[in-house]
Amino acid sequence: MIENTAKLDWLEDPTVFSVNTIPAHSDHSFFEDEEQAIMNMQMPLKQSLNGSWLFSYAENPASRCEDFYKPYFDCSGFSEIQVPSHIQLQGYDKCHYTNKIYPWDGHAQLRPPYISWEYNPVASYVKFFEQKENLKGKRLFLSFQGVETAFYVWLNGSFIGYGEDSFTPSEFEITDFVCDGTNKLCVEVYKRSSASWIEDQDFWRFSGIFRDVYIYYIYAIPKLHIADLFATTVLESNYKNGTLNVKLKLVGEEPGF
């Protein structure tokens, strides 16, 4: 079921860690035709959204700019930030390292899965873009390779989805939400969520869009695509021969093999 409304209480609900995301799949290059595969080292069916984004910072949810995702909201007062990056390395919030205790211990009396609403930095990102010509008329997907810790996504005022798995890509289909002209992509990132109780070890506590963001077209050829593949090998007892097993997930408008 597609969720059309963002809900702030997802931040404290451990049963909600992804909303409207597509299933995880293998990371492999794909092209529209053989010539592209031969001539291009990089995938032509991909549009990077890395670079300078408009940015607003708030120390907690109550002081964030709630309406920034709406199409006609004036973002002229926003600062700029580089994506990908952690906001703590761009002059916002503070760097914090801890190993044996939770970062909020001694500051707030919390039990799982709850979070502090007084200190939970919120990063609001805005990116204006136009889609590449060779992506028009195709199924489009928006990929976040890493966002720490929880984030909401809107495109042209419509809610796209939500994710909490910081170190795994979160991807959403945006085919029905992209327009021909200028598009407004908005991302709201929270430093802490219920996932913060699990994603805890001896590391620096950062937040933000810290890995690549891009739009891609899912079909490598117009009507058939290997959406996912899983390969395993079995080595025979003589250590000279083996068997390669490959499982493919095909999507498209034509029958596969």
Side-chain angles (χ1 to χ4, degrees), residues 151-241:
F151 69 107
Y152 299 79
V153 183
W154 294 266
L155 182 59
N156 297 324
S158 296
F159 175 65
I160 300 300
Y162 171 81
E164 275 185 21
D165 195 347
S166 299
F167 301 98
T168 301
S170 295
E171 298 180 337
F172 312 88
E173 181 163 8
I174 58 172
T175 307
D176 296 333
F177 302 96
V178 178
C179 66
D180 288 336
T182 301
N183 292 271
K184 182 182 180 182
L185 174 62
C186 299
V187 184
E188 189 173 71
V189 181
Y190 289 79
K191 186 175 183 178
R192 292 174 185 163
S193 67
S194 59
S196 300
W197 290 93
I198 300 174
E199 292 183 344
D200 185 74
Q201 54 183 315
D202 53 338
F203 58 18
W204 287 91
R205 311 306 162 130
F206 292 129
S207 62
I209 305 174
F210 68 95
R211 289 179 181 162
D212 293 341
V213 182
Y214 55 80
I215 297 172
Y216 69 97
Y217 163 45
I218 196 169
Y219 294 135
I221 59 176
K223 295 184 178 181
L224 186 65
H225 173 56
I226 298 175
D228 191 20
L229 63 89
F230 186 77
T232 58
T233 57
V234 179
L235 183 63
E236 296 183 4
S237 58
N238 60 10
Y239 297 102
K240 294 181 178 180
N241 302 315

Side-chain angles (χ1 to χ4, degrees), residues 96 98 101-112 114-116 119 191-200 205:
H96 183 195
T98 183
I101 63 174
Y102 283 109
W104 49 83
D105 286 349
H107 300 278
Q109 297 295 323
L110 300 173
R111 298 296 296 169
Y114 301 110
I115 59 175
S116 171
Y119 174 76
K191 186 175 183 178
R192 292 174 185 163
S193 67
S194 59
S196 300
W197 290 93
I198 300 174
E199 292 183 344
D200 185 74
R205 311 306 162 130

Side-chain angles (χ1 to χ4, degrees), residues 52-57 75-81 92 124 126:
S52 181
W53 289 51
L54 296 176
F55 183 80
S56 176
Y57 171 80
C75 298
S76 60
F78 279 28
S79 303
E80 290 190 8
I81 197 170
Y92 300 93
S124 300
V126 178

Side-chain angles (χ1 to χ4, degrees), residues 21-199:
T21 56
I22 67 171
H25 57 87
S26 57
D27 183 16
H28 57 274
S29 298
F30 48 87
F31 304 88
E32 285 189 294
D33 52 50
E34 184 178 358
E35 181 179 358
Q36 286 186 350
I38 295 173
M39 300 298 295
N40 291 278
M41 295 300 293
Q42 297 182 347
M43 288 171 52
L45 297 174
K46 179 188 288 188
Q47 178 177 351
S48 173
L49 297 181
N50 292 348
S52 181
W53 289 51
L54 296 176
F55 183 80
S56 176
Y57 171 80
E59 188 171 283
N60 53 53
S63 58
R64 79 191 193 284
C65 186
E66 292 188 44
D67 296 331
F68 82 107
Y69 67 90
K70 295 182 178 179
Y72 300 106
F73 182 87
D74 184 6
C75 298
S76 60
F78 279 28
S79 303
E80 290 190 8
I81 197 170
Q82 290 298 306
V83 171
S85 68
H86 287 108
I87 69 169
Q88 289 78 13
L89 301 180
Q90 297 281 314
Y92 300 93
D93 190 31
K94 56 188 176 184
C95 294
H96 183 195
Y97 174 88
T98 183
N99 54 359
K100 295 183 179 180
I101 63 174
Y102 283 109
W104 49 83
D105 286 349
H107 300 278
Q109 297 295 323
L110 300 173
R111 298 296 296 169
Y114 301 110
I115 59 175
S116 171
W117 293 91
E118 285 70 40
Y119 174 76
N120 186 10
V122 184
S124 300
Y125 296 81
V126 178
K127 180 71 170 182
F128 292 96
F129 71 92
E130 295 185 7
Q131 59 177 316
K132 290 168 55 177
E133 286 296 326
N134 65 324
L135 296 183
K136 292 182 178 180
K138 299 177 173 65
R139 286 184 69 189
L140 298 177
F141 292 79
L142 179 64
S143 179
F144 293 87
Q145 294 292 292
V147 182
E148 204 172 1
T149 289
F151 69 107
Y152 299 79
V153 183
W154 294 266
L155 182 59
N156 297 324
S158 296
F159 175 65
I160 300 300
Y162 171 81
E164 275 185 21
D165 195 347
S166 299
F167 301 98
T168 301
S170 295
E171 298 180 337
F172 312 88
E173 181 163 8
I174 58 172
T175 307
D176 296 333
F177 302 96
V178 178
C179 66
D180 288 336
T182 301
N183 292 271
K184 182 182 180 182
L185 174 62
C186 299
V187 184
E188 189 173 71
V189 181
Y190 289 79
K191 186 175 183 178
R192 292 174 185 163
S193 67
S194 59
S196 300
W197 290 93
I198 300 174
E199 292 183 344

Side-chain angles (χ1 to χ4, degrees), residues 3 5 7-13 16 152 159 162 164:
E3 179 65 58
T5 305
K7 299 176 182 178
L8 203 59
D9 58 9
W10 291 338
L11 293 172
E12 291 187 318
D13 188 346
V16 180
Y152 299 79
F159 175 65
Y162 171 81
E164 275 185 21

